[in-house]
Amino acid sequence: RAAMDSSALAFQTALIARASAARDSQLSRAARRKRVLDEDEYVGALDKIIQRDFYPDLPLLRAQHELLEAIEEDDPERARQAYEK
């Protein structure tokens, strides 16, 4: 019985060591991919994420607004450009 317990304990220890090594490898790869952003880059990236996730129609609304402004100002070239967006 003692041999079985030590065998099971050795197997469990080996599994834990293998899982721990795999996790350490994943963490070190993730750490290498990270890059520190300066404040302007961070705020810009955060702004894009917020617009993408919470206001997905914002680019369309901006293009429509630009088109309406061009029509009001009677600027056909700008209206054409805004329509193509």
Side-chain angles (χ1 to χ4, degrees), residues 46-57:
L46 194 57
D47 186 44
K48 287 180 184 178
I49 291 169
I50 290 170
Q51 284 183 25
R52 180 196 69 205
D53 291 350
F54 295 103
Y55 306 102
D57 295 332

Side-chain angles (χ1 to χ4, degrees), residues 10-78:
F11 181 72
Q12 183 180 16
T13 304
L15 282 178
I16 292 171
R18 209 175 313 145
S20 178
R23 181 69 180 151
D24 289 346
S25 174
Q26 286 176 342
L27 289 174
S28 67
R29 277 185 271 145
R32 284 190 299 251
R33 286 190 304 242
K34 290 183 181 177
R35 173 171 90 88
V36 176
L37 303 176
D38 68 3
E39 184 177 356
D40 292 335
E41 287 178 304
Y42 175 78
V43 170
L46 194 57
D47 186 44
K48 287 180 184 178
I49 291 169
I50 290 170
Q51 284 183 25
R52 180 196 69 205
D53 291 350
F54 295 103
Y55 306 102
D57 295 332
L58 195 56
L60 176 64
L61 294 172
R62 285 186 176 148
Q64 288 175 345
H65 178 72
E66 189 175 331
L67 176 62
L68 292 174
E69 279 186 338
I71 291 172
E72 280 181 3
E73 295 172 6
D74 199 27
D75 187 350
E77 179 61 28
R78 196 169 128 212

Side-chain angles (χ1 to χ4, degrees), residues 1-12:
R1 166 141 173 131
M4 278 174 73
D5 288 343
S6 67
S7 175
L9 183 60
F11 181 72
Q12 183 180 16

